Amino acid sequence: DFGPSYVMKQPLIRTTNLEICNNDTSAMSIETLFERTHYLDVQLAPGQVILPTNKNRDNLLKVPITFIPRDFTKYEDDIEFDINGLHKIAVKLKGEGVPLKLELEKSEHSNIDFGVIGVGSDVTKVARLVNQGKRAIALTLNFGDQLEVLKQKSAISVYPDKEFTLNPREGIDIEIRFNPHIRLHHFKNELFYQITENKEVYKLLNIIGCCHGIELKLHQDTLGFGSVVVNSKLTREVKIENLGDVNARFQWDTTYCKRYFTISPLSGVI
């Protein structure tokens, strides 16, 4: 009995070994007339011989049987083995094709929205993922460069970042952390998970956020006064622009130049 198996675009192949032993005192031949179907395969070479089984059971014959469900249905089949061309034994095989049901516990978690936060903020939100299917499934959120790209582009970290397995009716908390250190424009990223066994990828949820902060632009970083006559003065202008989302306070540090230079205004808000 293969039990429930998930029907997916990239088929999940279930293989088990049927063990056959010869308790007689002489060798015997075994064959099957079973022909491969689109969901079942029996790998037994023609003219296979089984030697008498010793105490250590070294002469066990292992026959690989592969089950590949294609439809959401229950499967039943009989495989008939012919012993020495005289005796027939039928083995009943059962299995079931079932849908993959990895679902968020709350539908509203399909969009994790951090809103607008400030530079240096540290916010974590949790979405619970539950296996509503009939069989355990192994998966990972950290495949390819997905998590690294999220971290570099949007300051998003996701946990767990290792492979994990969910049994039927079991859930796990997916932690999504937003910890920006620079101003970020509004973004919307997609988070995917990958099935370990067949590498198939599915979308889990959207991550939305924005980080407001100060972004100052100094239009020039060098101010040349050239030659100036003693006891006279020359004034130059420096332009600073706030391209950010919040007010920026400034104050000039003149300790190294106050003997010869004055700056006005010395402080203020942009």
Side-chain angles (χ1 to χ4, degrees):
D1 188 351
F2 286 93
S5 294
Y6 291 117
V7 177
M8 304 173 70
K9 295 176 184 177
Q10 297 293 331
L12 289 180
I13 300 173
R14 304 292 180 194
T15 299
T16 189
N17 288 322
L18 174 65
E19 295 185 346
I20 304 174
C21 63
N22 177 6
N23 292 326
D24 209 332
T25 57
S26 58
M28 61 179 62
S29 66
I30 181 170
E31 291 185 345
T32 180
L33 298 178
F34 181 85
E35 294 184 1
R36 180 178 181 177
T37 68
H38 69 288
Y39 65 88
L40 193 63
D41 185 26
V42 180
Q43 299 174 39
L44 178 63
Q48 186 73 53
V49 174
I50 314 176
L51 298 175
T53 305
N54 57 28
K55 292 181 180 180
N56 296 326
R57 298 174 68 85
D58 293 332
N59 296 328
L60 273 177
L61 175 64
K62 295 183 179 181
V63 180
I65 300 177
T66 302
F67 175 53
I68 310 174
R70 308 285 184 175
D71 303 296
F72 301 137
T73 186
K74 291 184 178 180
Y75 295 86
E76 285 192 16
D77 220 320
D78 289 329
I79 300 175
E80 193 173 77
F81 293 94
D82 189 311
I83 309 297
N84 286 339
L86 300 172
H87 184 58
K88 291 181 171 56
I89 299 177
V91 177
K92 183 177 288 293
L93 297 180
K94 296 192 296 183
E96 182 182 4
V98 296
L100 178 69
K101 290 185 177 181
L102 285 173
E103 301 173 354
L104 293 170
E105 190 173 63
K106 297 181 179 179
S107 59
E108 58 264 32
H109 287 163
S110 59
N111 289 297
I112 300 296
D113 192 349
F114 287 94
V116 179
I117 67 174
V119 173
S121 299
D122 194 342
V123 182
T124 298
K125 295 198 174 188
V126 176
R128 188 164 181 80
L129 179 64
V130 180
N131 180 10
Q132 301 286 11
K134 293 184 177 182
R135 191 181 185 108
I137 191 77
L139 61 149
T140 181
L141 303 171
N142 191 9
F143 61 94
D145 57 358
Q146 175 181 225
L147 296 194
E148 187 60 30
V149 169
L150 284 175
K151 187 174 183 179
Q152 294 297 328
K153 289 180 59 178
S154 305
I156 295 290
S157 301
V158 181
Y159 304 93
D161 55 2
K162 307 293 183 183
E163 179 187 311
F164 57 92
T165 298
L166 284 179
N167 294 313
R169 304 298 175 184
E170 186 177 45
I172 189 171
D173 288 337
I174 308 298
E175 295 184 8
I176 303 167
R177 180 188 180 198
F178 186 26
N179 179 216
H181 296 286
I182 59 172
R183 177 174 174 260
L184 295 171
H185 294 289
H186 181 272
F187 62 83
K188 181 178 181 180
N189 296 319
E190 295 177 323
L191 180 64
F192 297 86
Y193 64 85
Q194 184 182 65
I195 303 300
T196 300
E197 194 168 345
N198 65 353
K199 308 304 180 185
E200 203 161 293
V201 174
Y202 295 87
K203 180 180 174 180
L204 179 60
L205 50 79
N206 296 312
I207 305 172
I208 304 166
C210 181
C211 177
H212 282 183
I214 298 170
E215 185 178 337
L216 295 179
K217 180 182 179 182
L218 190 64
H219 281 225
Q220 64 224 73
D221 58 8
T222 301
L223 206 59
F225 284 89
S227 298
V228 181
V229 177
V230 173
N231 294 324
S232 66
K233 67 177 181 179
L234 181 62
T235 301
R236 301 285 194 201
E237 288 188 351
V238 176
K239 187 174 182 180
I240 305 173
E241 188 175 0
N242 182 5
L243 302 176
D245 316 286
V246 295
N247 291 341
R249 294 185 177 276
F250 72 92
Q251 182 168 356
W252 291 102
D253 176 12
T254 60
T255 54
Y256 74 98
C257 65
K258 61 183 179 181
R259 182 177 179 184
Y260 301 109
F261 293 90
T262 59
I263 304 178
S264 178
L266 193 60
S267 62
V269 177
I270 306 176

